[in-house]
Structures are given as structure tokens and as C-alpha cells.
Amino acid sequence: MEKTLTKAAIARIKSLKDKKERDRESLFVAEGLKCVSDLLDGGMEAEELYVTDEKLDEISGCRATFVTKAQMERMTHFKSASTVLALIRKHPETSLPDTWRNDLVVALDDVQDPGNLGTIIRACDWFGIRDIVCSPASADAYNAKTVQATMGALCRVRVHYAPLADFLGKVSKGGGEIYGTFLNGESIYTAPPARQGVIVMGNEGNGISDEVAALVSRRILIPSYPQGAKTGESLNVGVATAIVCAIFRGTAL
């Protein structure tokens, strides 16, 4: 059934583009049938669910409200509206992970592009890494572009925000290994295999900060091929994270 949306309701949805509003309401916007379905199937809760297709009266057990394409275009956080938009409850805040004691955790040092963060979340989901620790200046996991790039993986990966130096300092004091990617690191293909610890990935333009680098216990490198060949300056951080996770997980096979 079509619902007449008030200006206030649409304004509320649009306001969730702002991180402060997402934090205040503990809500975020997800768009697209697959993304929304995967989030709901993964146990996340939709406060509101809007569709432009009358056949989609229910998605993953959640009742949908029919709206016009014009209304959806007013609500979308993208240039082009999808057929599905949902307001979804954020994960409850949890304490910082200590899973590095028996598994892997990824730490991001000021990764600022929402698409890169979404790609990293999706890669971590694929490789069974359930916790990511981000520096406060990193992109927000609940930014619409990040959510879109995760393709639903956000329901299975917990994203924490904390000063990285403090978190890594505790890991180091607890005897945990801290890996970081550097151009002067040891080839990841010859480095000793690791089943646990923290993998640090750096900012898109500046890499890992000096403060965080000082806490890294093992410097690793994804070498280009063939050695010495002319290539781009570096890999995209999302691609690099996926490669590192794949190599680390390969040691567990």
C-alpha cells in the first residue's frame, strides 16, 4: 500500500547522510534489494523499509511500504534511486576485540575512502575476519557508500573505532604480533606464516603513520611481478587488504 511520506519523514532519511545524525539515532540507510536482503538475513533490524515495486510487499520477513519512484528519488543517498531503501539499526557498540590472541584482526590507519572501507569489510567477511579496528579519522562504516560496497557483509563484521596506537600498544604488551605493509618490508610470500595477530593497513596516500609504524613488529610487502618491472606506485588499499588476508588465511589450510 502506498504511503504518503511527510516532508519531515523524508528530511529525517536525508539527514542520515550526516554521521552525527547516524550516531544520534543509531540508524543507517541501506539501498538495493541484495544489500538490504543480506543485512536483514544476517540478523540486522530494519526500522523502516520502502520499495517502489508493489510485488515486494515483504523482504526477509520485514513488511515493506510502497512508495512512488519520485518519493524514492527524494530519499536516496545516491544519484540514482534503487527500488529498495531501508533504515537499519546499527550494531550495538562492543569492546575492542582480543580475538588477535587466537585469530586475525585488521586495523586501518586513516583509510578515508568509504568505498575502500566497504571493500575491506567485504574482504574480511570472505576470509572469516570478524573484527576491524579503525582509527577515528577513518571513513564511517555506516556511510551509504561504505554500506553499498560491503554488499551485506556489515552484518557479520564488527567495525570498531579507537586510537590505533592505544589499541596496538595493548596488543604489543599482550605479546601479540603486529603486521604492517611497507615498501621496505619482507615479501609476504616468504614471510613466516601467521594464524593470529593484527594486520595494519595504511592511508590511501600516506600509508601507515609514524606513530603506528613504531608499534609494528613485522613489516611485510606485497611484491610486484616480475621484480624490478615498472608498475604503479602502489596497490589500492582495498585490493592490498584482500591479498594480505588471502595469504594469511592460506597458512591455515
Side-chain angles (χ1 to χ4, degrees):
M1 179 177 180
E2 183 176 330
K3 180 176 180 179
T4 301
L5 293 177
T6 64
K7 289 183 179 180
I10 293 175
R12 181 193 182 208
I13 294 168
K14 297 293 282 186
S15 75
L16 293 174
K17 283 187 175 182
D18 189 332
K19 182 180 183 301
K20 289 183 179 179
E21 287 301 308
R22 292 195 295 271
D23 290 345
R24 186 179 70 82
E25 294 218 41
S26 197
L27 289 172
F28 67 96
V29 172
E31 300 185 48
L33 178 58
K34 186 177 189 322
C35 182
V36 171
S37 296
D38 286 350
L39 289 170
L40 298 182
D41 287 342
M44 300 193 90
E45 176 187 352
E47 181 179 285
E48 299 283 352
L49 177 61
Y50 302 100
V51 299
T52 57
D53 184 346
E54 293 184 83
K55 296 177 183 178
L56 294 174
D57 59 343
E58 180 181 298
I59 298 176
S60 302
C62 182
R63 295 291 299 174
T65 297
F66 175 72
V67 297
T68 65
K69 290 183 179 179
Q71 288 173 325
M72 189 67 85
E73 286 170 358
R74 292 176 65 192
M75 293 189 291
T76 183
H77 286 196
F78 297 100
K79 289 183 179 180
S80 300
S82 179
T83 57
V84 179
L85 182 148
L87 299 188
I88 297 182
R89 286 280 164 202
K90 291 169 59 175
H91 279 304
E93 291 187 12
T94 56
S95 57
L96 289 173
D98 61 2
T99 49
W100 52 266
R101 298 177 187 277
N102 54 20
D103 205 343
L104 293 172
V105 169
V106 166
L108 304 181
D109 190 9
D110 291 2
V111 170
Q112 296 181 332
D113 183 85
N116 284 339
L117 176 56
T119 298
I120 291 168
I121 293 171
R122 190 174 178 183
C124 285
D125 179 40
W126 182 261
F127 290 109
I129 295 171
R130 297 303 166 209
D131 289 284
I132 298 173
V133 180
C134 297
S135 63
S138 294
D140 181 29
Y142 297 103
N143 177 292
K145 290 182 180 179
T146 305
V147 173
Q148 190 81 0
T150 70
M151 291 303 293
L154 194 56
C155 65
R156 292 177 292 273
V157 178
R158 295 175 291 271
V159 183
H160 314 263
Y161 288 82
L164 276 195
D166 292 350
F167 168 67
L168 295 176
K170 292 177 181 178
V171 173
S172 181
K173 288 180 181 178
E177 197 82 87
I178 301 171
Y179 300 84
T181 50
F182 294 87
L183 292 177
N184 63 351
E186 179 182 2
S187 170
I188 194 171
Y189 304 121
T190 58
R195 294 171 182 264
Q196 60 192 41
V198 178
I199 303 167
V200 182
M201 305 300 296
N203 171 270
E204 290 89 343
N206 301 315
I208 295 174
S209 64
D210 291 342
E211 181 183 29
V212 171
L215 294 163
V216 171
S217 52
R218 294 198 65 91
R219 293 183 171 223
I220 56 176
L221 164 72
I222 304 171
S224 59
Y225 183 88
Q227 187 174 1
K230 186 174 178 59
T231 65
E233 183 179 342
S234 63
L235 286 170
N236 169 276
V237 66
V239 173
T241 303
I243 292 171
V244 172
C245 290
I247 298 298
F248 272 58
R249 282 309 197 204
T251 67
L253 296 178

